[in-house]
Amino acid sequence: MSQTIKQSSTDALRTHHLQRNLLLIELGGLLLLWYAIFGSRWSGYIVPMGGEYARSMHSFYTWDYLLACSECAWWSNIIGGYPNFAELFGSFVHPLSIVNSMIWGAVAGSSMTVAMSFLLIMFTGWWFAYELNVHVIARIWYAAAVMLGGHMMSRLEVGSIGMPLSIASAWLFIVLALGYIHSPSRIRALVIGIAAGALLLSGQGYMQFAIALSFPLWAWYAYTQQLFVRHPMLWRDATWVAVIALCMAAPIYVSSVFTSGLYDKETEISGIFNMSISQIIVNLFIDDFDVVKSNVYNNFAYPWAYSTYIGVTAFVFAVAGYQWLNDHRHKLLYRTFAIMSVCAVVIASGYPNTWLIQLEIQPLTNFVAGLRYIILFNAFLALGILTMAMLGIHGLLTTKLIEWPAAVQRVAWVPIKAILVIALLISNVHSMSRFGHNWLDEINRYEPQVVDVINDIKAQPIGYIHAPDWLAIPLMSNNIKISEMIFSWWMVQYKFPPPAYVFSNEPQQGFEVIKAYTDGWVLYRTNNPNAVYAQVFPNKGQATPCTIDYALAGMVDLTCTTESGGLLVVLEHDMPEWRATVNTQVVQPSVGTGWISLNVPAGTSTIQLRYQPWYIIPSLIIGILGWSLAVGGIIWLSIKKKATRA
């Protein structure tokens, strides 16, 4: 008897090790797939081309500023400056963004954040399928499909790096929430809190709004799983999720509250980009690379930018899959994701927007008009269909379609069925990968002369420059101030600073040539006296430029020499959190003129300007507290759980 028990224990241990090794091989293969398509391309030096790339990643320089000088990190270096932590458009405070930027710098860090967004959603998909105990073939395909589908490519053609990150964060939150519904625990709740905080920090706002709209659907699913009966302490876990998420998001949202009214978004009702329902459905099957080169391209509204291409194979498995399902939970999940997909189509079509706008309720109209790219909700359509397809593939592979004897099923039909399914899925993954390369091959136009241009600009006195979008990242990387090239939202109370320099391939009126380059590009200097970055205006006579000893974002040091004193004007937006010293004497800059201004005495004066918002440090402490509560709670509960088992 003891020998039998020992042999049984040995066999179980071997089976466990075999299963673990197979899972490691499975994950390793997926990791290689990610590296071949994304990791090797976006290794930190290749970035997507497009006007929105610099717009999306400029806030990543916050971490460069923080490492260079803690006092300058809270202010932006572009368009006259604005508070960095009031940047709702970008995603620089997301955990992935912080880690990558602090290690690799802003440019490489933002590029690697894009790549890791695809890695995050791939492992999220794999974990979801693993927890549902679906067939290994369905699991591997699903992990690859949620990474390669067109939903992850939305707006990458213009370099909007926040979209793949926010989509991956939203899907992680949904998957973790479903895992909690199936098997609730306090540890899972704390992990969901971290995911919710990361979602709030992922930028853009579209996916966060989509999650809010889908809440009734997940509440209904939780009700069908009797979560409210099985887990009476749900309210406690939900409270912890909310507390952790809001604490993590505090650095951004606290700053946004204190700077509310400074920003506005393009809200033209005529500028809402949507598609008809038929176009949305067709877009599931259109490979954009072919569409752009055909006449079909002209028949659809923005198909290249908002495609949700997943291929016919995935759609067929999704539509036909329900009939093969035997597991009750899988059937219920299938119906839930089918509802989610239908809702995503309706919302992305823009019909609800039209109805709400017709109500003519002004605040509601402004909000709805602000959701200009409502078509991005199609991400939930693609993810819903891919999840339905994953369940359908699992059902097909685990269901006896033909009542043959067990031996025939095992020896003949099961392998044939698996081979056919694998062939279809490989073809599907390949087509999605080929589709994505249309965007992955688009990289920034770093002309060979960029280094010379940057050096020539740095040799000039500090001032704002206007240049093409493709030069924005080299300019920002060299701490050169940018005027009206990139901006996230409109600064409603402030104007753009006049450029002291222009880099263009077109003639410029009112400018003199500094240097001409190849292909007609010329660096110009303005004759506008108001474009001087820092100068003193005396009561009488001409303005006197100041010597700029140091100027990086929210830290400016000047030396001004005047005969009679006067009003110092610095081309940084005059928000009330600026602090100044003149010859070590504390002076409060004037507010309301648009630019920092303060009086300086006659003679030589040393002026120090610092942007010091009082609410930043407390909000950062709250953010760290949120992380500490979550991580500390997970560690403590894990130790307690092990002690209880022992």
Side-chain angles (χ1 to χ4, degrees):
M1 177 67 71
S2 61
Q3 186 67 27
T4 303
I5 295 175
K6 184 177 180 180
Q7 182 63 38
S8 177
S9 177
T10 302
D11 291 343
L13 186 61
R14 287 176 179 172
T15 302
H16 172 74
H17 287 318
L18 177 61
Q19 291 175 343
R20 182 194 63 189
N21 292 336
L22 289 175
L23 285 177
L24 290 175
I25 293 172
E26 189 177 326
L27 288 171
L30 289 170
L31 186 61
L32 288 174
L33 176 65
W34 166 82
Y35 182 78
I37 298 176
F38 299 103
S40 60
R41 288 170 173 265
W42 285 339
S43 58
Y45 300 98
I46 295 179
V47 295
M49 179 181 173
E52 286 198 12
Y53 179 71
R55 187 182 302 183
S56 299
M57 65 78 60
H58 72 83
S59 52
F60 282 68
Y61 284 97
T62 300
W63 309 115
D64 286 6
Y65 301 156
L66 185 63
L67 294 176
C69 57
S70 59
E71 291 183 288
C72 63
W74 322 126
W75 187 251
S76 172
N77 212 33
I78 65 172
I79 64 170
Y82 62 85
N84 267 332
F85 279 81
E87 165 66 298
L88 293 174
F89 180 84
S91 50
F92 74 106
V93 193
H94 190 280
L96 283 178
S97 305
I98 295 174
V99 172
N100 285 322
S101 298
M102 294 291 278
I103 294 175
W104 309 107
V107 178
S110 59
S111 176
M112 295 182 75
T113 298
V114 176
M116 289 190 177
S117 300
F118 291 89
L119 182 65
L120 175 62
I121 198 169
M122 181 190 73
F123 278 119
T124 298
W126 181 89
W127 176 254
F128 185 35
Y130 178 77
E131 282 214 317
L132 291 177
N133 197 29
V134 303
H135 195 282
V136 61
I137 295 175
R139 184 166 67 229
I140 294 174
W141 170 81
Y142 181 66
V146 295
M147 175 180 67
L148 296 172
H151 56 281
M152 288 295 286
M153 303 295 175
S154 295
R155 293 190 61 74
L156 267 185
E157 89 290 350
V158 296
S160 181
I161 64 178
M163 280 314 302
L165 182 59
S166 61
I167 292 171
S169 299
W171 201 240
L172 175 64
F173 175 79
I174 289 176
V175 167
L176 291 174
L178 289 174
Y180 177 87
I181 292 172
H182 297 151
S183 180
S185 71
R186 292 174 66 185
I187 292 179
R188 284 180 180 263
L190 294 176
V191 175
I192 293 172
I194 295 175
L199 173 61
L200 291 175
L201 295 171
S202 61
Q204 294 289 324
Y206 290 98
M207 293 302 103
Q208 294 86 336
F209 187 57
I211 290 290
L213 288 179
S214 66
F215 179 78
L217 177 62
W218 309 120
W220 169 80
Y221 180 76
Y223 174 78
T224 63
Q225 296 294 298
Q226 298 184 333
L227 176 64
F228 308 104
V229 177
R230 290 187 294 113
H231 194 58
M233 299 301 289
L234 175 62
W235 64 270
R236 178 200 61 192
D237 291 347
T239 301
W240 275 112
V241 169
V243 169
I244 291 170
L246 292 175
C247 285
M248 286 178 58
I252 286 291
Y253 290 92
V254 168
S255 297
S256 299
V257 168
F258 280 98
T259 57
S260 61
L262 294 178
Y263 306 101
D264 199 4
K265 196 173 186 290
E266 292 179 281
T267 57
E268 298 89 347
I269 295 175
S270 61
I272 297 176
F273 301 129
N274 55 2
M275 293 183 184
S276 67
I277 291 178
S278 60
Q279 289 175 336
I280 291 172
I281 299 301
V282 171
N283 239 2
L284 293 169
F285 318 121
I286 292 180
D287 184 334
D288 290 0
F289 186 77
D290 299 328
V291 170
V292 171
K293 296 172 176 58
S294 70
N295 292 329
V296 180
Y297 171 84
N298 297 318
N299 298 328
F300 295 91
Y302 296 95
W304 70 97
Y306 310 112
S307 178
T308 49
Y309 175 73
I310 56 175
V312 176
T313 301
F315 187 81
V316 170
F317 276 122
V319 173
Y322 187 79
Q323 62 183 319
W324 300 320
L325 296 177
N326 296 314
D327 184 86
H328 174 71
R329 176 178 291 174
H330 288 176
K331 286 185 175 181
L332 189 57
L333 273 173
Y334 182 98
R335 293 196 292 268
T336 303
F337 281 103
I339 294 172
M340 186 188 81
S341 300
V342 172
C343 292
V345 170
V346 173
I347 294 173
S349 69
Y351 290 127
N353 289 44
T354 304
W355 300 331
L356 292 172
I357 288 172
Q358 289 175 351
L359 296 177
E360 296 184 353
I361 302 174
Q362 193 59 38
L364 181 62
T365 300
N366 289 340
F367 175 76
V368 172
L371 297 171
R372 300 180 69 224
Y373 298 100
I374 195 69
I375 194 66
L376 294 174
F377 279 52
N378 269 343
F380 275 40
L381 166 64
L383 288 167
I385 291 177
L386 290 175
T387 304
M388 294 161 60
M390 177 260 292
L391 294 170
I393 294 167
H394 167 76
L396 175 63
L397 293 171
T398 56
T399 301
K400 292 182 179 180
L401 298 181
I402 304 176
E403 290 298 329
W404 286 345
V408 177
Q409 286 274 359
R410 184 172 60 255
V411 174
W413 175 237
V414 171
I416 291 173
K417 182 168 59 174
I419 291 171
L420 290 174
V421 171
I422 289 173
L424 286 172
L425 297 182
I426 289 176
S427 174
N428 177 240
V429 168
H430 176 262
S431 64
M432 283 192 283
S433 173
R434 182 169 59 89
F435 156 79
H437 281 195
N438 184 35
W439 311 137
L440 296 179
D441 289 337
E442 297 291 322
I443 63 174
N444 264 340
R445 287 176 51 211
Y446 282 174
E447 306 287 348
Q449 60 193 11
V450 162
V451 175
D452 293 337
V453 174
I454 295 298
N455 289 334
D456 292 335
I457 296 171
K458 291 173 70 175
Q460 305 299 317
I462 289 178
Y464 288 93
I465 183 171
H466 186 75
D469 287 340
W470 55 264
L471 193 59
I473 293 173
L475 290 171
M476 291 188 293
S477 297
N478 286 273
N479 300 322
I480 296 171
K481 295 182 177 295
I482 296 174
S483 171
E484 201 178 354
M485 284 174 57
I486 59 170
F487 50 90
S488 303
W489 287 13
W490 302 105
M491 299 282 288
V492 295
Q493 298 181 15
Y494 296 94
K495 56 187 177 182
F496 295 115
Y501 310 100
V502 170
F503 181 70
S504 177
N505 58 357
E506 297 179 356
Q508 300 293 314
Q509 297 294 327
F511 287 79
E512 62 182 68
V513 175
I514 296 177
K515 186 176 179 179
Y517 304 87
T518 58
D519 299 328
W521 290 97
V522 179
L523 178 61
Y524 296 93
R525 179 192 297 113
T526 184
N527 295 320
N528 181 4
N530 294 323
V532 177
Y533 178 70
Q535 56 185 326
V536 177
F537 292 88
N539 294 329
K540 295 181 180 180
Q542 293 184 341
T544 304
C546 295
T547 301
I548 303 169
D549 302 316
Y550 188 84
L552 178 60
M555 184 175 179
V556 180
D557 293 340
L558 308 169
T559 301
C560 301
T561 302
T562 63
E563 294 183 359
S564 59
L567 184 67
L568 168 64
V569 176
V570 181
L571 296 184
E572 298 285 353
H573 289 139
D574 62 342
M575 295 186 183
E577 292 80 16
W578 278 100
R579 301 292 179 264
T581 61
V582 178
N583 298 326
T584 71
Q585 299 297 314
V586 176
V587 177
Q588 182 60 44
S590 300
V591 176
T593 62
W595 308 112
I596 294 176
S597 57
L598 53 105
N599 291 312
V600 295
T604 299
S605 300
T606 301
I607 297 97
Q608 292 184 333
L609 299 170
R610 302 290 184 268
Y611 182 73
Q612 298 176 339
W614 65 268
Y615 47 80
I616 283 291
I617 299 302
S619 65
L620 289 174
I621 293 174
I622 294 173
I624 294 172
L625 177 63
W627 275 101
S628 302
L629 286 172
V631 175
I634 292 170
I635 294 173
W636 180 74
L637 290 172
S638 299
I639 294 173
K640 184 179 178 181
K641 186 176 181 180
K642 289 182 179 179
T644 303
R645 287 179 177 177

